[in-house]
Structure formats: C-alpha cells, structure tokens
Amino acid sequence: MPETSVTDTLVSFSLEGGLARLTLTRPEAGNSITPELGLALMKASVRCASDSSVRAVLLTGAGKNFCVGGDLKTFKEAGPGVGALIKETTGYLHAACSTLARMDAPLVVAVQGAAAGAGLSLALLGDLVYAAESSKFAMAYTAAGLSPDGGSTFLLPRMVGLRRAQELTLTNRRLSAAEAVEWGIATATVADDVLLAKAEETARTLAAGPTRAYGRARRLLIDSFDTSFEAQMEKEGTAIAAASVEPDAQEGLDAFLNKRVPVYRGTP
C-alpha cells in the first residue's frame, strides 16, 4: 500500500518507496487547467519539494490526454473578468512550475494524447519525458489569441533553439512523439500500452539515487543559461564541495572504490 495517498478531485498525490506520483485528474476536460487545478498542483508540488522522503516525482495525466492546456471554456465564460481569472490561474501554475523545476527530486513526465499549451509547458519541466507513440505536442496559445505561459518561452528556446520555438509558437505546428524526441522536447517514444510502466520504472530507479546530488545538478543546469562560464564553475565548485560531505557522496565513493552497488538512503 502507498505510504501516503491523497485523493483530490483535480490532482491526486501518492507516495511509496520514495516515489511521488502526481496525476492531473480532469480527464473529462482533457486535464485542462483552471484556477482550482492550478492551486491543487501548486500544493502538490510544494509537498514534493518540502518532504525529504520524496526522492523522485512522476507527473501524469488521467484519461486520453496528458493536458490540453488552459480551460478555454472557463476563460470564455468569465466574460469581463477573464483577465483576473487567467492571472490567478497563471499565478498558481507558475508557482507549481518553479517549485517542480527547483526541488531536489528529479521529475519524470509521461505524456499520452495531447500536451498542448500549458500541458506542453509542464512536459518541458521534466528531466526525463516519455511520449506515447500516438502523442502530440503543440504550443497552441496563439491559435486562441493568447500568448504563452508556464515558463514555455524560457524553456522551449533553450531546448529547441529560437527559430524552432518561433515556428511552434506562431504557427501552432503539432509535433508527433518522434518529432518531439528529435527536437529535444521529449526523451524517448514509448508504445502507448507501456508508457506508464516505462516512466514509473525510470522514476523508481531515480528514487533510489542520490537525491540531494540530483537537486544540485538540476538547479545548476537550469541556471546555466543565465550565468557566465566562470560564475557557473564557481557554483559547481560550491555545490560539489557541499555534496561531498553528505552521506550519499560518502556511500557513492565507497561503493565505487569497493566495486559494489551503492545504496543511497537520501539525505535529510
């Protein structure tokens, strides 16, 4: 049985063996994002970042689609209040994205069906992203007369280059799973019927790894685009020195030197 399981009507959370599973649970609406879902995701992400027993996170979406983006029906129904509604939605979403990007636990994302708009933004956050063979990826925002959110204008150009980011953003071209891998958006394509099994297998492997070292590496990578070479090396030196005195590093060094498999227990 899971160590922790929380049933939320919008985002479910479970924790077992160091692996936290976050699942968007609006399948009838393509897991589209409302203020309420954004808030639920923010709370779940904070839990992942603040609980030292969480050593890897698997993000999925229930039903046929990973996430089709913002809930355009809800936005339209807001009438003159749509600006405030969207500002509230992005506030929660962006807090969730920032937390997921900077936590120690690595993030694995499994994408089926559509990853569009904010759904694509969430996929871009993953350290490892597995795409079902039938899945599609699209920015989609300008098709509805909107501009991007969810950190996509930061992450996408860094992953695919400015020219390709411009094409995806302005033309709303849909990428197949294979194209998403080719462009650097996804890690690998997986047969639809084994998508979750493959993503969970990888996430469980990461959950058995050196969590704090993963966290330092994740933050170094995401910060590297805005740091000079010398400043980045200074950050690297500080991070590796801090890591070296922790139990995980001592275990890793001893295991390497004695030619055995390390057993990482996570560093509080």
Side-chain angles (χ1 to χ4, degrees):
M1 293 293 291
E3 297 169 6
T4 305
S5 181
V6 177
T7 301
D8 187 289
T9 57
L10 298 172
V11 177
S12 68
F13 174 96
S14 65
L15 174 61
E16 182 181 14
L19 174 60
R21 295 188 62 148
L22 301 184
T23 304
L24 309 180
T25 53
R26 290 190 75 212
E28 75 288 349
N31 298 313
S32 56
I33 297 176
T34 60
E36 294 79 13
L37 189 147
L39 176 60
L41 183 59
M42 182 190 75
K43 289 180 176 179
S45 67
V46 169
R47 183 169 188 172
C48 290
S50 59
D51 185 346
S52 62
S53 64
V54 174
R55 300 179 60 192
V57 177
L58 174 60
L59 177 62
T60 65
K64 295 188 296 184
N65 294 298
F66 171 66
C67 175
V68 299
D71 189 330
L72 301 185
K73 183 175 183 291
T74 297
F75 296 164
K76 177 63 176 176
E77 290 173 349
V82 64
L85 181 70
I86 289 181
K87 185 64 174 176
E88 180 184 6
T89 304
T90 57
Y92 294 138
L93 173 65
H94 292 173
C97 290
S98 179
T99 302
L100 291 171
R102 296 189 176 279
M103 64 185 176
D104 283 339
L107 177 64
V108 178
V109 180
V111 175
Q112 82 283 6
L120 176 57
S121 299
L122 290 173
L124 293 172
L125 288 172
D127 299 294
L128 294 164
V129 180
Y130 293 102
E133 289 176 345
S134 64
S135 62
K136 301 292 183 182
F137 296 74
M139 280 291 271
Y141 293 97
T142 59
L146 299 170
S147 56
D149 63 3
S152 56
T153 60
F154 179 92
L155 293 172
L156 188 63
R158 287 161 171 78
M159 291 182 178
V160 307
L162 179 59
R163 280 288 174 258
R164 282 180 162 177
Q166 289 168 323
E167 179 185 2
L168 290 179
T169 302
L170 300 180
T171 72
N172 299 298
R173 172 177 171 176
R174 292 194 304 168
L175 296 181
S176 67
E179 288 172 319
V181 172
E182 179 188 349
W183 284 36
I185 291 173
T187 304
T189 59
V190 182
D192 290 27
D193 60 347
V194 297
L195 172 67
L196 288 179
K198 173 60 180 177
E200 183 169 333
E201 177 187 17
T202 300
R204 289 199 179 281
T205 298
L206 291 170
T211 310
R212 291 286 289 276
Y214 286 152
R216 288 188 171 94
R218 298 180 81 234
R219 290 185 288 274
L220 283 168
L221 288 169
I222 201 168
D223 288 342
S224 66
F225 293 99
D226 298 311
T227 307
S228 71
F229 181 48
E230 289 74 17
Q232 185 71 7
M233 287 192 292
E234 177 62 28
K235 289 182 178 182
E236 289 176 344
T238 299
I240 195 172
S244 68
V245 301
E246 293 180 341
D248 277 352
Q250 295 301 309
E251 168 64 12
L253 291 169
D254 185 76
F256 180 83
L257 293 173
N258 288 286
K259 297 180 173 58
R260 63 177 177 84
V261 177
V263 179
Y264 296 113
R265 305 190 184 282
T267 304

